[in-house]
Amino acid sequence: MAAQHKRSWKLQEFVAHGSNVSCLSLGPSSGRVMVTGGEDRKVNMWAVGKPNVILTLSGHTSPVEYVKFNSGEDLVIAGSQSGTLKIWDLEAAKIVRTLTGHKSSIRGIDFHPYGEFVASGSLDTNVKLWDVRRKGCIVTLKGHTDGINFVKFSPDGRWIVSASDDNTVKLWDLTSGKLLHDFKQHTAAATCVEFHPKEFLLSTASNDRTVKFWDLETFQLVSSTDPETGGVRCITFHPEGHCLFSGAQDSMRVYGWEPVRCYDSFSLAWGKVADIAVSSSQLIGASFNQTNVSLWVVDLGHLENLIAKYNSEAADVGNHVAGMPGEQKPVQVVPSTKTPPRKAFSTERPQTTSSKPRSKVEQSAIPDESNIEGKEKKDEQKLGAPEDIFKAKSKLDRTPPRQKHEPFQPPLEDPLSPGYVKQAPPAFPEPVKASKPVSSSEKANKQTHMIPSERDKPAGLQLSDFLPARTPVVDEPSKQDVYNQQNNQPQYPSISESEAVSTLTKSHGSINAIMTSRLKNLSIVARYWGDGDIKTAVQVSVDMNDQAVLVDVLNVLCLKQTLWNLDVCSLLLPHLKDLISSKYESYVQVGAMAIKLILRNFAPVIKSNMAAPPVSVGVDLVREERYNKCHKCYSHLQSIREVLSSKTSATGKMGSLFRELSLAFSSLD
């Protein structure tokens, strides 16, 4: 068991959104940054190993369903449930493009390797290619009969491959905008695809629990893995193409394909893993469950030797089939240098300028005009035809080169370290808000990003405010770090068992006492709740004078709106006033959610009763009782409104929440 811990470990788990997380993506180049999307319609950016949010990006009006970094990790694109795509520039922390056209939820997005283009796939069964500079859809690729789960550009940017719930994977040619081949041997929904970084080789994964490898010259099946324990959720090739990593529920495997073999396997508790990325000699895996995100690290330091050993043993067996067992040569741990027999992708960026004639390569990259859906020549000129998908940027509008990320290292607070003390992350991390003044000379010298029209950007929030000089987002190891870069082996500082236990259990007693008391109070509330006496259960939770218990009860009530009535409103409103003034952001959000619910469902009743009070006393007792409850609720709501009026001038996320809540009170006017 100890050996397993040295090979893989859980790096961290934290609350990523105020509501359920719906998607996430790791930085493809470094594996050291992550972006998440949630049902709260927000996109949050994180540094791997840190529990606090770096940036919170807003703009979507429906839950975010898919997020993706570009290869330089300076742009993020997010697709929503409504079919809208938004692109953010992380340096300026602002939206640079909004793309609309899909009719249903976005389930797959990819950036072109070196062009200003984006591909997207949706539950509407269509794949769309977008020209980001002109904000338009160039080509709509139709052919799938069910929702699309994944889209990917080839390394040379000439093809798009899409995986769908119809069990097929389709390869599209951008030159003609037509289908090149249909891979149909999967027996369940295709979940993801990956191109080999160098060879003409495609890997596809599916819920049929297998990974298949395809030759892109002959479109023939090269090999197929044995079924895993569950559907394969994500795959990625080693950066040098030595092997393929496959992530399924609670497991990770390392495959070769000619012949197919499993080099290594790991049993992990990462649940339904959502994305994996290779960073130096480590693999980072990320998964989410409800509002939480978990990150895992797998040590790959032994992998190169392991693959070389497999190759050597296979060659050795082949050379000694007819020989004597006692004469077998010792295994030489030397990586294979065999040149792949397949054609290699050309990943060089084409050299083109507007003043020079197009090369044949560039001309072949222009999609056929007849394949632009519903476009005539005049419409093409208006939108701006895809003059050259591979056109190089000018010196001015090219994004400055990013510094090369250093190898990922576990932070000093490694969960496996004997001196590790876990710090509970904030329930709903508050994004850092900062503003850095920019001088006029800096504005003049600042290079623009991907959109030429956005060349002169206003001073504002910069990513460099959070990560000065692009320093690594994960702490560099110190002399006493548990990770040694030279031999890739965990090393532990000298510490006695008693000291280790004392460090690990620090503050455990007080936290345990708090949680025990909270559980006891909730069990009392649950006793009345189970009997169906909701009013008494709410009254008991209020009388306990414990905001944590009240918040737990409110979370349940907000999910079950049929439990609310005027009695419950009158009991809770005085305490909701205290919640929105709390120093804890999660308490404020729950209080605001409850107030919105009351205004939405009961404001018309309260307003009508206050406008027409009963004339005669003692005649209609039911009406009098209802009027008294409405009057009580109205008084508390007006008191809350006065508190909000002093908070609407606040800045940041909370200021936005208070202003939104203040507008909801217009239903009482």
Side-chain angles (χ1 to χ4, degrees), residues 138-418:
I138 300 173
V139 180
T140 297
L141 305 173
K142 297 185 176 183
H144 283 292
T145 59
D146 208 338
I148 294 168
N149 294 319
F150 200 89
V151 294
K152 184 77 174 179
F153 281 105
S154 60
D156 60 3
R158 298 181 181 278
W159 296 338
I160 294 177
V161 66
S162 55
S164 170
D165 281 334
D166 61 11
N167 304 354
T168 67
V169 174
K170 295 183 184 294
L171 184 66
W172 310 87
D173 181 29
L174 292 184
T175 302
S176 61
K178 295 179 180 179
L179 181 67
L180 271 182
H181 191 72
D182 206 345
F183 303 98
K184 295 182 177 180
Q185 293 195 24
H186 282 296
T187 59
T191 53
C192 53
V193 294
E194 278 293 326
F195 286 95
H196 192 281
K198 298 179 179 179
E199 301 179 32
F200 266 42
L201 183 76
L202 177 70
S203 175
T204 62
S206 167
N207 282 337
D208 64 9
R209 303 181 295 159
T210 66
V211 177
K212 298 185 186 297
F213 299 91
W214 309 86
D215 190 312
L216 291 177
E217 292 183 275
T218 63
F219 300 124
Q220 298 298 312
L221 180 66
V222 175
S223 58
S224 178
T225 66
D226 293 330
E228 298 194 19
T229 55
V232 181
R233 300 181 58 82
C234 48
I235 53 176
T236 188
F237 277 100
H238 187 280
E240 297 300 321
H242 299 323
C243 58
L244 178 108
F245 304 101
S246 166
Q249 182 162 352
D250 294 327
S251 69
M252 193 273 285
R253 295 187 182 183
V254 186
Y255 288 114
W257 49 89
E258 285 182 318
V260 65
R261 62 180 64 178
C262 181
Y263 291 123
D264 204 355
S265 63
F266 295 82
S267 179
L268 303 165
W270 60 17
K272 295 181 179 180
V273 61
D275 196 16
I276 55 177
V278 179
S279 176
S280 185
S281 61
Q282 294 175 322
L283 181 138
I284 315 299
S287 62
F288 57 86
N289 181 28
Q290 296 182 344
T291 61
N292 286 13
V293 167
S294 301
L295 286 164
W296 292 73
V297 179
V298 178
D299 181 17
L300 304 177
H302 68 294
L303 189 60
E304 186 174 325
N305 289 342
L306 183 65
I307 295 174
K309 181 178 179 180
Y310 267 93
N311 293 336
S312 299
E313 287 178 346
D316 195 61
V317 170
N319 293 332
H320 294 85
V321 169
M324 296 180 63
E327 296 179 355
Q328 187 172 1
K329 296 180 181 179
V331 173
Q332 294 182 356
V333 184
V334 179
S336 173
T337 58
K338 182 181 178 182
T339 303
R342 295 185 189 85
K343 185 178 177 181
F345 284 110
S346 174
T347 56
E348 293 184 3
R349 189 185 183 107
Q351 301 296 322
T352 60
T353 63
S354 58
S355 60
K356 296 181 180 180
R358 300 179 191 276
S359 66
K360 293 182 180 180
V361 173
E362 292 168 306
Q363 291 174 0
S364 66
I366 306 175
D368 191 346
E369 177 185 329
S370 62
N371 290 285
I372 301 178
E373 184 186 21
K375 302 290 184 182
E376 301 293 340
K377 270 191 175 181
K378 58 181 181 180
D379 297 322
E380 181 181 339
Q381 292 171 359
K382 181 179 179 180
L383 174 63
E387 297 175 356
D388 188 359
I389 290 182
F390 314 106
K391 184 175 180 180
K393 297 178 183 177
S394 67
K395 184 178 291 186
L396 286 177
D397 62 18
R398 185 178 295 119
T399 302
R402 298 172 65 85
Q403 293 184 5
K404 201 169 186 179
H405 290 280
E406 298 187 13
F408 172 81
Q409 303 293 345
L412 292 176
E413 300 84 3
D414 193 334
L416 292 182
S417 171

Side-chain angles (χ1 to χ4, degrees), residues 633-644 665 668-669:
C633 291
Y634 182 81
S635 300
H636 291 310
L637 286 170
Q638 291 299 332
S639 178
I640 293 173
R641 195 172 191 175
E642 292 176 4
V643 173
L644 284 174
F665 273 86
L668 283 177
D669 298 333

Side-chain angles (χ1 to χ4, degrees), residues 8 55 103 133 182 349 399 410 423 487 511 597:
S8 63
L55 287 175
K103 299 177 182 178
R133 293 167 298 184
D182 206 345
R349 189 185 183 107
T399 302
Q423 297 181 356
N487 55 21
I511 294 175
L597 189 149

